[in-house]
Amino acid sequence: MNRKEFLKGMAAVVGSLAVPGSVRAADFHSALQDAATAGDAAFWKLIRDEFVLDPGWSYLNFGGLGTCPMPVLNSFWEWTRTEERAPSAGHDEKIWWDVKERLARLLGPTCRKEDLALISCATEGLNAIINGLPLKKGDEVITSTHEHVAVNVGLLNRMQRDGIVLRLFEPDLVRAQGNVERINGLVSPRTRLILVSHVTCTTGQLFPAPEIAALARSRNIWFALDGAQAPVCVPFDIVDTGADFYTSSTHKWLMGPKRTGFLYVRQGMLDTLRPVTAGAYSSERNDITKLDLALHPTAQRYEYGTQNDALFFALGAAIDFVQTIGPSRIWAHNHALAEKFYKGLQGIAGAEILSPQEDAYRTAMISFRMKDRTYSQINEQLAKAKIRVRPVTEGGLNCIRVSFHICNHDPEVDAILDALHTLA
Ligand SMILES: Cc1ncc(COP(=O)(O)O)c(C=O)c1O
């Protein structure tokens, strides 16, 4: 099937769907299989063509915000139209749980849908964790100096409100194990929580989650991961991270609609993390006249109120899109581009690479700065070359972060390296 036939087929399907996302995923699957037999270049070209990104620009910022491929946009539009034709409160729970099931499969073979809540973004999940744990005045939380503002403001808010104490470590970019040692050095009898990124937004550093989890468990400390940058960016099994709590935005690397994300709560931890926002869907049973409440026995207790279900049903289409290509194939593609860029940077005069030195802890995001150039100057120069990257001010790094995803390809790595050579 060529692309024209593929789109024609899609248009026909769009008009008559019962379950839009999954039908279209099947069409996309067969188109991809055809492309795969034509070779790697044809395969990735077909994928690039699924995006509506401005062709005049090179978009190297999925870490900042993702963009939805056509099957996701179509699914969102179709579900929205269905809703608007016959508005009704509530959402179809069967489809809702089916999306959770597909998300669980993406997150690991033993991840359970019952441990997932569909939420609006990582910021919501982080606040659910920070404010939902029974922390008291004087309780200590360990975090890094490379966290996103969503972690920082959430923690500072709880500090101001309840007097929790924050203990910070500077990430070790040379030895991953050094991070475990730095965290260990901050542990005290008052430490209740370790909250760090799974992949940092500053340098794309993958923290050694299982080792930090082992430390946390041995000292009876809760362990939470901010995974905003991890799912689909790096391959991992959410259960194997050892995190008690894990949250992510699915509008970045997973390419779902904006304002979609999830909160994972490890089995057995539901009663430890009290929902901070509760309402319709959060309870299994409630009766205000009897002062009776039984929260929902799954992570659904963290969901509440009217939902824009088209967003989450289209998230199902994004999951299918990723699964159709294959997370390991995505990783191999993105990692190869990032490593080519990493090596290319080493040949640029005055470039200082900030991403981890151990390759096992580098991801599809690479950060750097340049001698005698501010990050704004670099950003401006790249914008002139029509290349979109992300300036990083967190942790006082003042550097540039470059993200590589499936709609990028080799010529874009060459173009950014050329622009930097010119600047140098
Ligand atoms: C590591 C990290 N955490 C949290 C967030 C917040 O994500 P959102 O704004 O989607 O809630 C981001 C966004 O870039 C991030 O990179």
Side-chain angles (χ1 to χ4, degrees), residues 58-359:
S58 186
Y59 188 70
L60 301 178
N61 191 30
F62 269 81
L65 188 63
T67 178
C68 299
M70 283 309 291
V72 179
L73 293 178
N74 286 337
S75 173
F76 177 63
W77 162 235
E78 189 59 27
W79 283 115
T80 300
R81 196 175 63 169
T82 304
E83 300 260 306
E84 302 301 326
R85 276 164 68 95
S88 86
H91 52 261
D92 183 319
E93 295 218 30
K94 189 174 171 309
I95 305 174
W96 189 265
W97 276 94
D98 180 58
V99 173
K100 283 196 199 181
E101 173 72 48
R102 279 136 84 196
L103 182 60
R105 289 291 64 75
L106 184 70
L107 296 173
T110 58
C111 178
R112 303 175 337 135
K113 59 182 181 302
E114 293 80 8
D115 302 336
L116 298 173
L118 296 177
I119 58 170
S120 61
C121 58
T123 303
E124 181 182 349
L126 286 162
N127 276 275
I129 297 165
I130 293 167
N131 295 305
L133 284 171
L135 298 173
K136 295 186 299 295
K137 189 171 184 330
D139 283 349
E140 295 179 9
V141 177
I142 297 175
T143 192
S144 89
T145 55
H146 281 203
E147 299 308 317
H148 188 267
V149 63
V151 169
N152 298 343
V153 173
L155 285 175
L156 289 167
N157 185 42
R158 185 103 206 241
M159 178 194 81
Q160 286 189 346
R161 197 185 70 196
D162 296 323
I164 63 167
V165 176
L166 307 180
R167 300 262 177 246
L168 306 183
F169 70 96
E170 184 82 27
D172 187 335
L173 295 163
V174 180
R175 285 173 51 250
Q177 185 56 30
N179 292 293
V180 187
E181 292 158 13
R182 289 177 192 196
I183 292 171
N184 193 32
L186 292 176
V187 171
S188 85
R190 293 302 306 261
T191 309
R192 304 296 305 281
L193 171 67
I194 298 168
L195 166 55
V196 291
S197 295
H198 192 189
V199 171
T200 64
C201 64
T202 46
T203 66
Q205 175 175 30
L206 175 70
F207 272 135
E211 289 81 354
I212 300 173
L215 165 67
R217 197 109 344 134
S218 72
R219 304 293 293 267
N220 210 14
I221 297 167
W222 296 309
F223 177 41
L225 280 173
D226 170 4
Q229 297 289 352
V232 185
C233 177
V234 285
F236 69 97
D237 178 332
I238 200 165
V239 175
D240 287 353
T241 63
D244 296 311
F245 314 105
Y246 191 111
T247 187
S248 184
S249 295
T250 47
H251 46 228
K252 292 179 187 282
W253 297 89
L254 216 155
M255 300 168 284
K258 311 316 173 251
R259 294 299 279 185
T260 58
F262 70 85
L263 172 65
Y264 159 88
V265 176
R266 187 170 66 77
Q267 204 174 347
M269 298 302 286
L270 285 181
D271 290 334
T272 304
L273 188 73
R274 193 86 196 174
V276 285
T277 311
Y281 299 101
S282 314
S283 72
E284 182 183 46
R285 192 186 70 237
N286 72 84
D287 187 339
I288 193 80
T289 63
K290 297 190 179 118
L291 301 181
D292 176 44
L293 170 67
L295 288 169
H296 200 275
T298 73
Q300 182 176 310
R301 63 178 58 189
Y302 308 103
E303 297 169 0
Y304 52 86
T306 302
Q307 298 282 358
N308 183 350
D309 43 2
L311 289 177
F312 293 97
F313 297 168
L315 172 61
I319 296 165
D320 293 345
F321 185 80
V322 164
Q323 293 285 33
T324 300
I325 301 168
S328 49
R329 195 166 189 172
I330 292 175
W331 164 245
H333 173 268
N334 298 355
H335 187 52
L337 293 178
E339 287 297 291
K340 177 176 166 163
F341 179 62
Y342 180 85
K343 300 217 164 68
L345 272 179
Q346 291 168 342
I348 291 181
E352 180 195 355
I353 305 174
L354 298 171
S355 294
Q357 292 184 16
E358 290 166 301
D359 51 8

Side-chain angles (χ1 to χ4, degrees), residues 18-40:
V19 186
S22 51
V23 175
R24 239 158 302 133
D27 266 16
F28 180 65
H29 196 116
S30 74
L32 264 193
Q33 277 175 338
D34 287 354
T37 53
D40 225 35

